[in-house]
Amino acid sequence: MKTFVQRHQDQILGVLSGFDRLRFRGVLRLLQSEGGTATWLERVGVAVKDFLKFAEGLTKRLCRGMDQLAQEAGRKARYLPGVVDKEELVQEIRGKEGVADNGLVAVLKTQEMGMSYTMFRSRGFSVLRRGPRKCNHYYCYWEDERFGLMHVRMSSWFPFDVHVVLNGREWLARQMDGAGIGYVRDDNCFPEVSDFARAQELADEQPQIDWVGELDRVLRRVHPLHAEVFTGVGALDHYWTAEQTEWATDIVFRDAESLSRLYQRLVRHGIDTFQSPDVLRFLGHRMPAHGGINGQYEGDVMSDLKRRHEGVRIKHRGGKNSVKMYNKCPTLLRVETTMNDGQGLKVYRHSQADPEGPRQWLNLRKSVADLPRRAELSQASNQRYLDALSSVTAETPLAEITDRLCRPVSGDGRRHRGLQPFDVDEVRLLQAVSRGEYLISGVRNRDVRRALFGEAQDPQQRRREAGRVTRKLALLRAHGLIKKIPRTHRYLLTESGVKAISAILAARQASLSQLAAA
């Protein structure tokens, strides 16, 4: 990201990274299985055969409590018979009726699928069976003193699973108000901030808070039944997981024209140049030395473009996670990593089996305990994506780059031929040295050899191929596309090399209509 910002620093006002939308799930872990539920019922003195009557009583109490919560705020729990844009409806209610004295904006209810229990007879015994069932779900929207506008989604059937959804930018606005930082807000973006550095400090505080305590506080506000039922001998606490997190990096440009000129080229570069290994690298997956996709990876990798009312959005998906870019408002470029699954990602922590033992690199959990690491990985994803776009500029025509590369040059006491940027073999060479995994650590002769020729079994054949690669690397060095890392056998792309190779590869992938429109 630093490379991207440095390249366009004359056009950029500031950069702000932090949470966008967050969705948490709270469950009572013991009640997620038939055996655990039976154990809990025994604990509180309820026979399994009486479960349905017991659960129906709890459901009625919960529904009455929700209706009462709305009435105390002078509102009514609204039933939604079909698919409705709840966010839009809540904003409409907020505009007409305002916010109640207790902060409540609206209580909505609708029928949705959830997990609950039914009863069946097995060999004369009553047995619980867990499965999907349609039931009423309540959506409680209110203005929280810390997080701003947020909502809780709660199932009305036992075991009353809940979701809490909040917006990091809404929260950040509250933080900036408290710190006296001036800003202009457009939806959930800040195209103007009086002190970007201080605002970033506030955003950096968000992943570090006591998430369990805050989410429990939020739930108590709308779920008093929990404190009545799940206490004493049947005491249970919610286990909170980050079901989905969005981490956005906003780059604010000085004027809309600068971003508009650049954005078209960024989108074209992203869709034409980034391949599946690049997408997985952006999202933090370790890539094998051969540069392809890890053989153990089983998810889908895809990229697509979509035109929305705000502008054009490019999105790259790797399994259940994604990184996308869009021009959120005329002067704001946003890169956003959405994380739904931590598979393949690591966190340095204690093992749950040995909490007093040494820390080690273990799988990233969905638990909010790993939320700081999730934020760190998401920020790194945004940075890698922007760094990969750092070579794109709005001003330099392709002819200026290729004309220089096609001329012969002299260096190291010898004359080197000009490059052939659109020759198939030359393109494969440029692709080999510019792979994303080599941008930081550098590329070796053997890396290029394997990419161009594969792995020969004959040692003499490997030596001949290595000699050919040595001459090819010398050619690229003479043209200033790569440079040798001192005291190593590795080569790094130069700044002009990144710019030239990215432009050539993007132009080669562009369609005739795209080139004609350029």
Side-chain angles (χ1 to χ4, degrees), residues 339 345-346 364 373-381 384:
M339 194 172 292
L345 304 177
K346 301 292 183 179
L364 184 73
R373 174 59 174 167
R374 183 185 282 231
E376 181 183 329
L377 290 168
S378 298
Q379 175 66 13
S381 172
R384 284 188 286 266

Side-chain angles (χ1 to χ4, degrees), residues 368-398:
V368 293
D370 287 349
L371 198 57
R373 174 59 174 167
R374 183 185 282 231
E376 181 183 329
L377 290 168
S378 298
Q379 175 66 13
S381 172
N382 290 353
Q383 289 176 344
R384 284 188 286 266
Y385 191 80
L386 284 166
D387 285 343
L389 293 171
S390 62
S391 62
V392 181
T393 65
E395 295 82 15
T396 307
L398 180 63

Side-chain angles (χ1 to χ4, degrees), residues 15 20 39 83 124-125 142 216-217 224 247-248 271 283 288 357 365 405 419 422 431 462 464-465 485:
V15 181
D20 189 17
T39 298
V83 178
F125 293 96
W142 75 89
D216 284 342
R217 172 187 69 81
W247 183 272
I271 202 66
L283 293 171
R365 301 166 293 184
L405 294 177
L419 292 175
F422 295 101
Q431 289 174 331
R462 287 202 298 269
R464 286 194 293 270
E465 291 171 350
I485 303 176

Side-chain angles (χ1 to χ4, degrees), residues 108-132:
L108 310 177
K109 59 181 177 179
T110 185
Q111 284 211 340
E112 295 176 349
M113 295 301 296
M115 298 297 291
S116 188
Y117 292 95
T118 56
M119 299 287 300
F120 72 101
R121 302 286 293 181
S122 176
R123 298 179 182 178
F125 293 96
S126 298
V127 180
L128 292 171
R129 176 174 289 170
R130 177 178 167 85

Side-chain angles (χ1 to χ4, degrees), residues 159-279:
F160 312 114
D161 289 350
V162 296
H163 288 83
V164 175
V165 179
L166 58 93
N167 191 290
R169 292 303 203 255
E170 175 85 13
W171 177 10
L172 182 58
R174 295 260 172 158
Q175 291 177 285
M176 290 194 291
D177 289 339
I181 300 174
Y183 61 89
V184 173
R185 184 173 177 180
D186 183 354
D187 191 20
N188 66 334
C189 297
F190 304 105
E192 292 183 31
V193 178
S194 63
D195 189 343
F196 276 98
R198 178 62 181 134
Q200 186 61 64
E201 291 176 1
L202 296 175
D204 290 339
E205 295 173 3
Q206 293 182 354
Q208 310 297 330
I209 69 168
D210 175 16
W211 282 102
V212 173
E214 285 296 325
L215 292 171
D216 284 342
R217 172 187 69 81
V218 165
L219 188 58
R220 286 194 298 269
R221 187 167 188 169
V222 298
H223 189 17
L225 185 65
H226 177 82
E228 299 175 23
V229 177
F230 301 103
T231 54
V233 294
L236 293 175
D237 293 321
H238 280 88
Y239 177 71
W240 292 103
T241 56
E243 197 168 59
Q244 182 185 79
T245 59
E246 296 176 352
W247 183 272
T249 295
D250 293 343
I251 300 179
V252 181
F253 282 73
R254 295 184 183 278
D255 58 81
E257 185 180 354
S258 297
L259 175 57
S260 179
R261 283 200 314 269
L262 176 63
Y263 189 68
Q264 295 178 14
R265 297 179 184 272
L266 294 177
V267 170
R268 180 178 297 175
H269 183 85
I271 202 66
D272 289 343
T273 306
F274 296 153
Q275 305 298 316
S276 296
D278 297 309
V279 173

